[in-house]
């Protein structure tokens, strides 16, 4: 009951605009403009986060309360305001998550946050987006480009994938609500904290993104599932075989070399054959990419893959990355 009250309060503050720097900074024009708080990255991801000597305290890089205290399988209810410009679209829909509203009231989207893993902290956001929002994003394809593929030797890390970067009042309002729930106060108010534009991804059949870490300075990833197609695999989530976490990518990859999707780690996705978490259109997953132990190092247990798309249907997902530039670049 206490947890619910805290979440409801956080969302209410977001809604009324009375939150601190996160909310205010995100209201500014996007793309490479910095205000007193969050720095908004340009679409091309050429991050130019300000250099200061003040580091955010590393032990604040994980989930804040009440999320921090959730055990695996526990969930809490939350809500976010829907963009007023979407109100007309939503007035007639039958989505139970969507609280109906009478004229003049702000609409809200109810959703549930469930803890999926402790290390790294992974949370399932059930019904964070409405069907209409998902549909709108999947139609926003004016300038999709072939996604950057990093190659090492012969290996192509991302295949059959197109990308676009979006920033508008709606993407910022969504990020503001989620930032208020998932970031600590210290991170939200730190001068080197920031947000990248929403990255929209369309994978064709067979499209995939091999095991990777999201890299610096992305401290928190929120991955939205826009049509319920495809799977994401976290092979080392809550891996208990070793006393120590992997120290680098090589060690992390080595540990999951013989792992099987659906059996080892955590798989989220629409295909029940592989997945332990049956995500649907409008769900999202939130996970933390740095250790919360004072070291400022990556948590290599956050390693994850977008598994090859099995169906003939495209897989649509989107990423919001929350940043903090006070940590050094590490090997990826
Ligand atoms: O497509 C997925 O399921 C994962 C996407 C991902 O890992 C990424 O874009 O960094």
């Amino acid at each position: 009951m206490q947890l619910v009250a805290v979440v409801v309060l956080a969302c209410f503050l977001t809604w009324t605009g009375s939150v601190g720097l996160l909310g205010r900074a995100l209201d500014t024009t996007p793309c490479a403009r910095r205000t007193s708080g969050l720095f908004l990255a340009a679409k091309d991801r050429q991050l130019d986060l300000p250099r200061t000597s003040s580091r955010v305290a590393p032990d604040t890089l994980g989930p804040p309360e009440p999320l921090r205290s959730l055990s695996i399988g526990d969930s809490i209810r939350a809500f976010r305001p829907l963009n007023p410009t979407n109100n007309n679209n939503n007035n007639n829909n039958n989505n139970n998550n969507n609280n109906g509203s009478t004229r003049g009231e702000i609409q809200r989207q109810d959703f549930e946050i469930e803890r999926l893993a402790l290390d790294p902290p992974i949370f399932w956001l059930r019904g964070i987006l409405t069907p209409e929002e998902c549909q709108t994003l999947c139609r926003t394809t004016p300038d999709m480009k072939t996604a950057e593929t990093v190659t090492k030797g012969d290996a192509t890390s991302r295949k059959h994938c197109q990308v676009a970067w979006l920033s508008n009042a709606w993407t910022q309002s969504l990020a503001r609500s989620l930032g208020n729930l998932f970031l600590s106060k210290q991170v939200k108010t730190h001068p080197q904290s920031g947000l990248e534009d929403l990255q929209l991804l369309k994978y064709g059949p067979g499209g995939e993104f091999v095991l990777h870490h999201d890299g610096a300075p992305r401290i928190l990833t929120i991955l939205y599932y826009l049509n319920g197609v495809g799977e994401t695999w976290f092979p080392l989530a809550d891996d208990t075989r070793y006393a120590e976490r992997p120290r680098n990518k090589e060690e992390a990859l080595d540990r999951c070399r013989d792992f099987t999707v659906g059996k080892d780690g955590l798989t989220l996705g629409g295909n029940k054959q592989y997945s332990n978490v049956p995500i649907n259109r409008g769900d999202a997953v939130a996970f933390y990419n740095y250790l919360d132990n004072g070291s400022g190092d990556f948590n290599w247990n956050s390693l994850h893959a977008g598994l090859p798309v099995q169906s003939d249907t495209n897989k649509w997902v989107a990423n919001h990355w929350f940043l903090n530039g006070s940590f050094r670049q590490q090997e990826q």
Side-chain angles (χ1 to χ4, degrees), residues 199 201 203 209 212 214 223 231-232 304 306 315 317 319 321:
Q199 187 198 51
L201 294 173
Y203 295 88
F209 196 172
H212 63 281
D214 281 346
L223 174 65
E231 288 79 37
T232 311
H304 58 283
K315 166 184 174 182
V317 291
N319 283 300
W321 281 297

Side-chain angles (χ1 to χ4, degrees), residues 32 34 39 41-42 45-51:
R34 187 166 71 89
F39 189 89
R45 294 181 40 214
Q46 294 300 306
L47 303 180
D48 185 21
L49 293 166
R51 292 182 203 294

Side-chain angles (χ1 to χ4, degrees), residues 39-60:
F39 189 89
L40 298 170
K43 284 199 182 83
D44 59 5
R45 294 181 40 214
Q46 294 300 306
L47 303 180
D48 185 21
L49 293 166
R51 292 182 203 294
T52 72
S53 53
S54 80
R55 273 181 144 207
V56 68
D59 60 356
T60 59

Side-chain angles (χ1 to χ4, degrees), residues 184-249:
S184 67
K185 183 166 174 244
Q186 290 86 342
V187 168
K188 281 187 281 191
T189 56
H190 191 267
Q192 288 179 272
S193 289
L195 170 75
E196 285 180 61
D197 291 349
L198 185 76
Q199 187 198 51
L200 185 63
L201 294 173
K202 176 173 78 167
Y203 295 88
E208 66 173 318
F209 196 172
V210 301
L211 284 169
H212 63 281
H213 186 279
D214 281 346
R218 293 167 170 168
I219 54 175
L220 169 69
T221 303
I222 301 200
L223 174 65
Y224 306 94
Y225 296 90
L226 304 179
N227 66 348
V229 173
E231 288 79 37
T232 311
W233 185 34
F234 295 85
L236 295 175
D238 285 337
D239 186 25
T240 52
R241 293 169 306 149
Y242 298 83
E244 304 287 327
R245 292 190 184 88
R247 284 165 304 177
N248 50 47
K249 186 174 184 178

Side-chain angles (χ1 to χ4, degrees), residues 5 16-17 21 47 77 84 87 91 114 135 143 256 260 268 274 278 286:
T16 57
L21 285 171
L47 303 180
R77 295 195 65 74
N87 281 357
N91 276 343
E114 179 179 328
Q135 214 167 41
D143 292 318
C256 48
T260 311
L268 291 81
Y274 299 111

